[in-house]
Amino acid sequence: MIVQEESRKENLLSAGVTSQFIDAIDRLEELGEIQYQIQNPEGAYWYLPSIENEYEILRGFDITPICDGSNGDSFYVLLSKPDERKFVYFELEADEIYNDFGGSFQLLLAHLVIDLMDLSEVQSIEDITKFAESLGLLKAKEVINTVSALDEDTDIEEWEVNVLPTIIGGTLNK
């Protein structure tokens, strides 16, 4: 079942999504480059009702859209049922979860900020840190300083799975 838009914010807040992030979704045009990574969840509310029973990854879960991904057919959602809650990223083209952030919104938020760092060539580390803090990333400075110190040969995805959870707490399932 798709959680109705009227209940979305309350549901996300109770799952640990920061109010700063939820509010930012409504004013993405003010946020610079992140608006090219995520969008208001309009696409989720348009597409997900037609596929929720067809996609195995969604069956049995209440689906709360967090935000749409950059290309209009990818979504960040909260999947929940009485004994499980997880933040995930998936695309319409495949019935598979591409990123499973477990029950930690902080891991999802750190992932988005790290992606922003990859895309941004003009923002300083200090600006990205302030931005991440403004969205509610609790250990923004530590995450950003650690990832920015990686050498070019380090696989960021591997780092996210093996190191980021020790900084943030939680488990990233890939």
Side-chain angles (χ1 to χ4, degrees):
M1 168 188 95
I2 307 294
V3 171
Q4 297 301 310
E5 287 184 73
E6 304 81 49
S7 303
R8 176 180 164 269
K9 184 172 184 173
E10 178 183 330
N11 204 38
L12 293 175
L13 288 170
S14 70
V17 177
T18 63
S19 59
Q20 301 98 304
F21 182 83
I22 295 169
D23 293 341
I25 296 296
D26 293 332
R27 58 187 209 328
L28 285 171
E29 63 281 349
E30 299 172 20
L31 300 179
E33 293 178 354
I34 200 167
Q35 69 182 307
Y36 303 113
Q37 274 183 266
I38 58 174
Q39 302 294 317
N40 188 287
E42 293 172 12
Y45 280 106
W46 173 261
Y47 288 112
L48 296 184
S50 66
I51 65 156
E52 70 178 305
N53 295 320
E54 296 174 22
Y55 276 47
E56 186 66 34
I57 61 171
L58 302 176
R59 281 197 195 122
F61 287 100
D62 288 338
I63 306 159
T64 307
I66 301 168
C67 58
D68 292 355
S70 62
N71 59 4
D73 66 352
S74 60
F75 310 101
Y76 290 91
V77 299
L78 169 64
L79 299 178
S80 54
K81 53 186 173 182
D83 60 337
E84 185 178 4
R85 180 171 63 197
K86 59 186 175 178
F87 295 93
V88 302
Y89 169 78
F90 72 97
E91 296 179 4
L92 286 179
E93 66 186 41
D95 185 6
E96 78 180 80
I97 293 173
Y98 294 136
N99 297 95
D100 181 344
F101 303 97
S104 175
F105 172 72
Q106 289 291 310
L107 285 174
L108 183 154
L109 184 53
H111 172 80
L112 290 173
V113 169
I114 291 165
D115 279 355
L116 178 62
M117 288 175 68
D118 286 344
L119 294 174
S120 179
E121 296 177 10
V122 296
Q123 289 186 313
S124 70
I125 296 299
E126 293 79 23
D127 288 344
I128 292 173
T129 301
K130 286 178 189 172
F131 178 71
E133 289 170 343
S134 77
L135 293 178
L137 183 59
L138 297 176
K139 297 186 178 179
K141 187 173 186 171
E142 187 175 352
V143 168
I144 292 165
N145 286 341
T146 305
V147 78
S148 63
L150 296 175
D151 70 35
E152 292 178 20
D153 296 331
T154 303
D155 181 353
I156 296 292
E157 287 184 26
E158 186 176 311
W159 180 88
E160 279 190 63
V161 171
N162 297 317
V163 179
L164 183 61
T166 61
I167 297 171
I168 298 284
T171 304
L172 183 65
N173 306 310
K174 290 243 179 185

